[in-house]
Amino acid sequence: MSRPPQISQEKFTEIIISPPPTPHPQPPLTRARSDSQSTLATVSSLRPIPKSSLLFVVSSLESISASKDARKNKELNDSVQKALAVIKGDGPHDQLNPELLFEPLQLASQTPNVQVVTTALDCIGKLISYSYFSLPAHGSEDKDGPPLIERAIDTICDCFQDEATPVETQLQIVKSLLSAILNDKIVVHGAGLLKAVRMTYNIFLLSKSSANQTVAQGALTQMVGTVFERVKYRLDLKESRINTQKPGLERDSQEDVSESDINHDHIPHIQSSNGNGDMDDDTETVSSMPSDTPVEKHEGPKITLQSFENRKSFDDGKITEAAPTLVTRVKRTKTASRNVSGHDRNGSGTPVPQDANSEDEEDEIYIRDAYLVFRAMCRLTTKPLPMEHALDVKSQGMRSKLVSLHIIYTILSNHTAVFTSPYATIRNSSTDEPTSFVQAIKQYLCLSLSRNGASSVKPVFEISCEIFWLMIKLLRVMLKKEIEVFLKEIYFSILEKRAAPVWQKTTILGMFYKLSLEPRALVEVYLNYDCDRTALDNMFERIVEHLSRMSSSQVSLTPVQMAAYLEHTAKYGSHSFDKSRRNLPPSLATVSMHAQQDSDLGYPAEYAMKHDSLEILVEILRSLVAWAQGLSQMELQTNSSSTLAKPSANDSRESLDRRESSLTLPSPRIGTDSPIGLSSPMTEDDPSQFDREKQRKTAMASAIKQFNFKPKRGIRSLIKDGFITSDNPEDIARFLLGNEQLNKAALGEYLGEGDKENVEIMHAFVELMEFRQTRFVDALRRFLQSFRLPGEAQKIDRFMLKFAERYILGNPNAFANADTAYVLAYSVVMLNTDQHSANVKDTNRMTPEDFIKNNRGINDNADLPEDYLRGIYDDIQHNEIVLDTERENAANLGLLPQPSASLAATIGQAVVNAGRDNKREEYAQTEQIANRTEQLYKTLLRAQRKGTKIQVTKFVPASSFKHIGPMFQVTWMPFLTALSGAAQNTNDIETVRLCMEGQKLAIRIACLFDLADPRQAFVSSLARFTNLYNLSEMKARNLEALKVLLEVSYTEGNFLNDSWRDVLTCISQLDRFQLISTGVDEGVVPDMMRHHGQGKAPPKPKRAAKSQRKIQSGNVNYQADIAEETRSADIVRSVDRIFTNTANLSGEAILHFVKALTQVSWQEIQSSGQSESPRTYSLQKLVEISAYNMTRVRFQWANIWQVLGAHFNQVGCHTNTHVVYFALDSLRQLSMKFLEIEELPGFKFQKDFLKPFEHIIGNSTVVAVKDMVLRCLIQMIQARGENIRSGWRTMFGVFTVAAREPYENIVNLAYDHVTQVYNNRFGVVISQGAFADLVVCLTQFSKNQKFQRKALQAIEALKSSVGKMLRTPECPLSVRRIKNGDGTDDSKPDSPPISQTQEEQFWFPVLFAFHDVLMTGDDLEVRSLALNYLFETLLTYGGDFPLDFWDTLWRQLLYPIFMVLRSKSEMSKVVNHEELSVWLSTTMIQALRNMITLFTHFFHSLEYMLDRFLELLILCICQENDTLARIGSNCLQQLILQNVSKFNDEDWNKTVTAFVELFNRTEATALFAAATASAFTPRRPSVNGGTPHAPSTEADALNSLTLSTPIAETEEHGLSEPNIGLGIDTKSDLAREDWGSMMGSSQNTDQPADDDGALTSGERPQTPATASADLESYRPSSSQQSTPVPVTAARRRFFNQIITQCVLTLLMIETVNELFSNDTVYAQIPSPELLRLMALLKKSYHFARKFNSDRELRTRLFKEGFMKQPPNLLKQESGAAATYVAILLRMYHDSNPARVNSRSATEAALVPLCADILKSYLDLDDETQARNILTWRPVVVDVLDGYSSFARPEFEKHMPTFSPLIVGLLGREMTPEFQLTLQRVVAKLFEYSIGVDCSTHLVQVEHGRRSSRGR
């Protein structure tokens, strides 16, 4: 942008010849107080005037006297002569009357002679300069007249008439006035000052001399500057004065306050309690030092541009330009002479008291001068210009506006302290209270800017923009709300308008550029607008979005235009706007002013604007980085005297240097030391609070966006988040009406819905509007501005009805009723559509007559006046009812029609000719802003009338670097769009570098604040822009991106996190490019990006690879210079630096790096497929960084290796063996290096490090790979064996995996080296806690089925390890340690700490190894050895085992051997049931016997485990395997027999309890439910007074089976075949045992049908009515014979389990019989326990008897296929009875005292059962039950024999019971033995009853029988 020529300071010096002003006028000695309406003069002592000082006066007077005019004018001549006489006289000059000198000069100035007038004016000016006109002469009588200085100024000003005044006179007037104003001795105030300024201003405007215009402009600027300079100095003095008066506070050592202190240390403050700037009555007095305070308290409606027209923040009614001239005289004293007590000292050093009030009043005089001058300048800028002046920049009006604006700019720029000082106050005319200066002038400044801010005149717009920038930079604290309005309504609006001139947008960009250089200002814009919910918009976000949009715009550029642009930028810089700061205003003389012309630069201005936007975005990022780094660094230095981490790049450091001054300076604000006081505190800079505020604001925006898309959902969201207080219609309506961000169309649709809820909200919405005393059309317009009327007729109807009701309520006299308003409103809406719709032809549009006709009779059958209706028609026709937002959008798109009338000058005056086509866009812009501000102004007035108030606005100063994160979080997407898009669309390398720098800065911010999404997006963008995936398209710009990416990777490595993936992918692609560029064929190094996710197999052939290498570069095209650059030393060093720098990364960062590198490595390997030369670049780098980071602390390295190890596991199992070999070799190298580092005891890093070897050998299917793994480990053992600690465990793990292999060479190699370790390093293995791993390894060798020889060797090694372990010094159990006997630990100092006992650490692994081989070994011989070695070891060394260890052995080793018997779920795990059967019949039986031996051997140690052993035996006995059951029974007997003498009462109790459990489990209660329910309902006869449980269903019966596994469990595991059990066919073993043995004899198939009570064919079956209610009953009730029930597999299994239970019951009866036939056992068992045991036999007897007596049940079972013959439990019944009777009879006759004591109990248990047996025997039928008789006869003989042996008392006692039974027996068929026994009983009966002794006869009978037997 070109500037008018400027006047240099040297030129001003030459033109303006006047005494230079003293920089700081001196304060007056004293000042008498006078009335404000009178002349104020300073009393001073007059010093003598030397004659030499009056020579210039004599010369001037003599020159005047010699002129013709003096000779013609007697009065003039006399006055001149009189003055000369007095001067030349001998009298004292101190009595010289100044009037004598002034009078001739005044008269001379009135002559028409130019020379005389010039001479007089020159003399007056010099006299003023030398202060001759300061006071009247001594003894002057005219003391009430105007001061002489005022009359002198009037005289000077009267010399200028108009533009016809001679040029010389004009120049002299300016000089003289300048002398008067700049005088440092006599300071002119008030009207005199303004008159001088005005005259100079008029000469500037009216003079036709360009030189005089220039001089006048400079003089005017100097005058105004002097006024403000004096104010600044007075403020310095006032601050010093106040500081010296503060008690108890530390005083500043310097008396003078520099200007910089004021500018930088004082904080501006504006405080106003009401809209007029009046202060509260309770305003606080002056406090202490200045501190941070906020802006004004803004109460009232929303501020808009229009509100500046009438808004008054300060009442200045009494401060007028007609105020009298006030004169103060400055005494030549220095501030330094003031002492600390506040007194001045005169020349003699005597203190002179000062009046503080008079000083303050005099200060206000200076401030009032500044106020008057500034107000005058602002008013000059707001004067409306005629059209012709607006079009001509040389016109007086335009020049007046420009010079005023420039002076305002100069004031703001050079005298900021006046606006920001808390001591600059002026009294309010209405309240007489002090008000801050900035508060007083704010109304005029804002009005000036609102009138000129949107001007279409380039110079006006530019200087207005400069002024606005100063407001942002210097006054943003005090003008927070005003700045917001200007940004939104002027500058953002211009940027949004397509038709806005480019130069306007460029000027705004210049302002944004300056803002981008101010980090603090940027942060404070964000805090005070983006984080303020009351703000109009998110200003910072909007700025970035506008810049991003402009930088992303598409601008076509030809090569010629591009060359022109580059040439221009090389010559003038890259900016199209002026970056330099203004030092002096440009010359505004007419000769310097030129009309606005569009210069052709040779390239589109839009392109330059696009580049400027991009550069501003980068500058913003620089400032954000500078603020973040600078403040965080200063904070660290303050808190810990440390520095921030290294900067991200050199230019970032430079950016920080450039902006560091901005970082250290506070915000420009007024302090609390202001005399006006404060009433609202400054908001603290709390980042978390602002983060919450911003989130709240974002949530609000999101909810509104949701409303605009789906209104109902948006309303719910708004209510949920609390933005709408409740779901009350009034609350919702109030929000909808007051929020301008809502989409009007969506709002209209929502309010127009017919739902009850929507209608209520619409009614509340309309009721919030006020139409009182408003024209109908205006009310309708306002109503339709609040929403967009829907197109549906029903919705329109509802709106119009409610509007009519509301309008009539406010205007009851407007129409007859509401119907009139309703019809008319509807008619107006239709008229608006008709007149302005593009779909209606002009010929068909409605005419006024049509409109009048349509509305006839609507006013209660009366017509509305035609003039009224015609007025409505004209209003609608010329002014469409349309939403302002739609009009604004149209204006932004440049679619507004050209206006036909002149525009108001409210917001930028009409400055263009309506007829000029090239100004159409300017018209559209100005019209749009004018219309919008007019409407906002109306809203403001309505709000003022209602007294609306808003909350206090507070300004937040930026002090924390933490705000940068949230700032970037909300704007990173526009930044990314601009930077990435601009780089993609240009080939200009400088632009690309700029974009790359911006992305680098963005990444820096994202990394500093850990913003994951922005970081990932920018890094991905950089990575994509490298174009390494498309080498043929790679250009220099892509290379720049690569360089930046590498630099960012180096500098931001600690914060990249997941973005490392993109970086390392690019590095991998770069390596590929480097290989290809050196001649390697593309097929050899495939592009991993193309193979990623495709699942294709990469090129495989060997031959192809070799042949293709001969081709130089295949079909890849690339630029040679780019390829060469990628191989340059800088690029290579940059890449290497990234990997070497990993050693400096943080623990978390290195973990992210390693994860990313492993992912890229795997991607490379996958892309290589089966190639002989796979890509392993990243894999190599993994090895490198592992070496670099080997020395990290162990917990970090453990995390790293967790990732690396997983990757090596993955790579080591790849199908390409070349990849695997490389991985294994890399792993070996790393392991070698790692093993060089000594591992401390207790750590396991070696173990984890070597884990990949174990994984690879276990998962690889290639024998060569397995072999290589083993050889790697062997090499490590050989080379680093001494350093191996925890690594032994992993190595044994590898050997363990090798032991499972089916390859002989692998197994042999592994076993040989395990043996070597076993023989040579056994002690080290033990000391490192790897003994268990060694044992596991040998165990696995022992279980190798394929190589039995190795298995036998390994099992022998396991056996020998016990002795070797006990002989090894490192083992705590060694013989040497046992001999020590002191319990101390002599292990090596590097032994790892352990938490296990010694037994668990050493004994358990060996014992468990035997157990493992025993349980899972495949070879029978090895398994047998393991079993023998296990129990041999236990028997040999178990004596020293503690009880706790025995518990462990039982739980984990011994009992699990028999776990397979516990449940069939364990059996389901066994695949080969045949092998299981062998295992059960061999290994398990032997193990069971060994268990009994073990228990017997260590009885005293294991006695507490007796119940466990018994439980184990119960488990074995209750099996379906006959052999196992019998062995279990035998072992039970052996357990009792071998330890019978050791048992105590508790042991016997446990033993008998075991028998109880056995009898309970084997009781076949399911027999009573075995028959189908439809044919059998079980009877429940009483047994011993109780009712036994009989399951009602088959499922219950199944569950009642108490063998080891319930049938339900087998069903659960899917075992539905009959052979489920223990792998044995259930038809064999116990299940196949002949039921004849259970029934006592072989069954007779020819026995009669009624032998067992079978059903006959004629018996009636059970009816459905009597069947079970739980089952379906569909069987017909016919009496036909039923078919046999089929026996299913499940039912057969059920039957077989019942049979098994019965057989096991017989086994238990036999066991009891055999066991207690042993005299030792009988003698040791206590009687109570024996009686408990007998009760079991009795119960078993009754159970069998009950079943045998139920013939119906037995017959049914027979028919249903339970057995091949009717079943019975005869043997169980008789066997239980016989054993019961035999044992009890022995107890009864036993003379042992314990037995004698229990004889009564024995008798009570014996006699009833004996009687029952005899009775049952008598009931047997000789013909049909011969088998039963034969079975029971021995039992009966035992009963009779026992009874006969009773002593006489007991015998006689039971005679009544037995006598009838004996009589009955006499009638039965008897055997000789039976007969003899019976005879004995009868003989005793005779003997005891009738006294007949038959013993002799019995002896003879027995003798005879024996004789007959002998024969």
Side-chain angles (χ1 to χ4, degrees), residues 728-749:
N728 187 284
E730 288 75 14
D731 294 333
I732 298 176
R734 189 174 295 106
F735 177 84
L736 297 178
L737 183 62
N739 196 293
E740 297 180 354
Q741 299 177 358
L742 298 175
N743 183 277
K744 301 298 184 182
L747 178 58
E749 291 293 336

Side-chain angles (χ1 to χ4, degrees), residues 156-200:
I156 297 172
C157 294
D158 290 342
C159 293
F160 182 81
Q161 302 300 322
D162 51 24
E163 62 269 13
T165 303
V167 174
E168 296 82 357
T169 304
Q170 294 176 5
L171 182 60
Q172 194 56 53
I173 291 173
V174 172
K175 291 180 181 181
S176 299
L177 291 177
L178 187 60
S179 298
I181 299 303
L182 299 185
N183 193 316
D184 61 336
K185 305 177 188 67
I186 305 174
V187 182
V188 180
H189 306 281
L193 172 64
L194 290 179
K195 187 178 294 184
V197 171
R198 186 181 299 109
M199 179 53 61
T200 308

Side-chain angles (χ1 to χ4, degrees), residues 1288-1564:
W1288 285 117
R1289 303 191 64 182
T1290 305
M1291 288 186 171
F1292 286 131
V1294 174
F1295 291 131
T1296 301
V1297 176
R1300 302 191 193 105
E1301 297 297 330
Y1303 310 106
E1304 186 173 7
N1305 60 332
I1306 298 295
V1307 175
N1308 290 336
L1309 181 64
Y1311 185 78
D1312 292 344
H1313 285 85
V1314 169
T1315 304
Q1316 290 181 12
V1317 174
Y1318 175 82
N1319 294 329
N1320 302 327
R1321 302 183 186 274
F1322 191 79
V1324 177
V1325 170
I1326 286 183
S1327 66
Q1328 295 305 317
F1331 175 70
D1333 301 271
L1334 171 62
V1335 171
V1336 170
C1337 181
L1338 291 174
T1339 303
Q1340 198 60 50
F1341 280 109
S1342 302
K1343 291 161 52 177
N1344 192 306
Q1345 183 182 7
K1346 191 169 183 180
F1347 307 107
Q1348 186 188 35
R1349 187 170 61 87
K1350 291 297 178 186
L1352 292 173
Q1353 292 176 2
I1355 196 70
E1356 292 297 334
L1358 277 175
K1359 179 186 177 184
S1360 65
S1361 67
V1362 175
K1364 191 175 183 67
M1365 172 185 69
L1366 295 177
R1367 292 190 302 271
T1368 303
E1370 288 81 2
C1371 178
L1373 302 177
S1374 65
V1375 176
R1376 181 180 304 174
R1377 290 168 189 265
I1378 295 175
K1379 289 181 180 180
N1380 286 343
D1382 55 1
T1384 58
D1385 188 2
D1386 297 333
S1387 60
K1388 290 186 178 180
D1390 59 350
S1391 298
I1394 55 175
S1395 59
Q1396 297 175 313
T1397 64
Q1398 293 179 355
E1399 287 77 14
E1400 291 174 344
Q1401 188 181 1
F1402 297 101
W1403 281 118
F1404 187 81
V1406 179
L1407 296 174
F1408 186 82
F1410 292 134
H1411 168 82
D1412 189 22
V1413 176
L1414 168 66
M1415 297 300 295
T1416 60
D1418 296 318
D1419 188 83
L1420 179 60
E1421 182 178 359
V1422 176
R1423 196 167 64 233
S1424 299
L1425 288 174
L1427 177 62
N1428 294 334
Y1429 293 159
L1430 171 62
F1431 284 95
E1432 181 181 334
T1433 303
L1434 289 174
L1435 290 171
T1436 305
Y1437 301 103
D1440 297 326
F1441 293 170
L1443 296 182
D1444 292 343
F1445 187 59
W1446 276 114
D1447 276 337
T1448 302
L1449 293 178
W1450 173 266
R1451 289 193 313 271
Q1452 300 188 32
L1453 298 184
L1454 300 178
Y1455 187 73
I1457 297 176
F1458 309 93
M1459 201 66 179
V1460 69
L1461 306 176
R1462 187 168 184 82
S1463 66
K1464 294 199 168 66
S1465 61
E1466 295 289 336
M1467 302 310 323
S1468 64
K1469 301 176 183 177
V1470 182
V1471 179
N1472 193 331
H1473 291 280
E1474 183 178 352
E1475 293 181 0
L1476 175 63
S1477 179
V1478 175
W1479 188 86
L1480 289 173
S1481 59
T1482 58
T1483 307
M1484 179 170 285
I1485 291 175
Q1486 183 61 35
L1488 190 60
R1489 288 172 176 165
N1490 290 337
M1491 289 285 287
I1492 302 303
T1493 303
L1494 183 67
F1495 180 80
T1496 303
H1497 188 76
F1498 296 111
F1499 178 83
H1500 295 294
S1501 298
L1502 303 181
E1503 183 181 4
Y1504 73 97
M1505 289 189 182
L1506 176 61
D1507 52 348
R1508 303 182 192 177
F1509 278 85
L1510 292 172
E1511 181 184 356
L1512 176 62
L1513 292 172
I1514 292 171
L1515 189 63
C1516 294
I1517 292 172
C1518 295
Q1519 297 297 319
E1520 297 178 9
N1521 186 305
D1522 177 57
T1523 304
L1524 192 59
R1526 292 190 180 278
I1527 292 297
S1529 174
N1530 181 263
C1531 288
L1532 179 60
Q1533 294 183 45
Q1534 292 301 318
L1535 175 68
I1536 297 174
L1537 290 174
Q1538 294 177 12
N1539 300 283
V1540 64
S1541 61
K1542 306 172 187 177
F1543 277 8
N1544 54 30
D1545 291 349
E1546 184 181 356
D1547 296 336
W1548 280 113
N1549 180 268
K1550 293 179 181 179
T1551 305
V1552 174
T1553 302
F1555 277 100
V1556 173
E1557 180 68 18
L1558 282 169
F1559 275 95
N1560 287 337
R1561 289 193 186 185
T1562 57
E1563 188 177 51

Side-chain angles (χ1 to χ4, degrees), residues 387 390-392 595-598 898 911-923:
M387 183 62 65
L391 299 176
D392 185 8
Q596 178 181 348
Q597 294 180 354
D598 296 331
Q898 178 178 346
V911 294
V912 292
N913 187 349
R916 295 175 60 182
D917 293 337
N918 60 346
K919 299 297 182 182
R920 180 175 302 174
E921 297 300 335
E922 286 86 343
Y923 269 119

Side-chain angles (χ1 to χ4, degrees), residues 588-633:
L588 299 177
T590 52
V591 70
S592 303
M593 302 294 290
H594 303 283
Q596 178 181 348
Q597 294 180 354
D598 296 331
S599 59
D600 186 10
L601 300 175
Y603 59 87
E606 289 80 1
Y607 183 81
M609 186 171 63
K610 174 180 179 178
H611 187 274
D612 294 341
S613 302
L614 185 64
E615 184 163 349
I616 295 170
L617 286 173
V618 176
E619 287 294 341
I620 290 176
L621 289 173
R622 286 196 188 105
S623 292
L624 296 182
V625 170
W627 181 264
Q629 291 189 162
L631 284 190
S632 58
Q633 183 175 11

Side-chain angles (χ1 to χ4, degrees), residues 1097-1130:
K1100 48 173 183 176
K1102 293 185 192 174
R1103 257 190 348 259
K1106 291 182 180 178
S1107 61
Q1108 289 172 358
R1109 287 185 186 180
K1110 298 178 182 178
I1111 303 175
Q1112 184 174 356
S1113 59
N1115 55 359
V1116 179
N1117 298 320
Y1118 52 84
Q1119 298 181 16
D1121 56 337
I1122 298 298
E1124 183 178 358
E1125 181 66 19
T1126 59
R1127 300 194 305 272
S1128 66
D1130 290 341

Side-chain angles (χ1 to χ4, degrees), residues 1028 1034 1038-1047 1066-1067 1070-1071 1073-1074 1121-1139 1177:
L1028 285 167
M1034 194 171 177
N1038 306 114
L1039 203 57
E1040 292 296 326
L1042 177 61
K1043 293 177 181 178
V1044 171
L1045 184 65
L1046 296 178
E1047 181 183 353
C1066 285
I1067 292 177
L1070 174 62
D1071 174 71
F1073 186 23
Q1074 291 171 346
D1121 56 337
I1122 298 298
E1124 183 178 358
E1125 181 66 19
T1126 59
R1127 300 194 305 272
S1128 66
D1130 290 341
I1131 295 292
V1132 173
R1133 278 196 299 268
S1134 297
V1135 173
D1136 291 341
R1137 189 173 60 170
I1138 292 174
F1139 292 103
Y1177 173 79

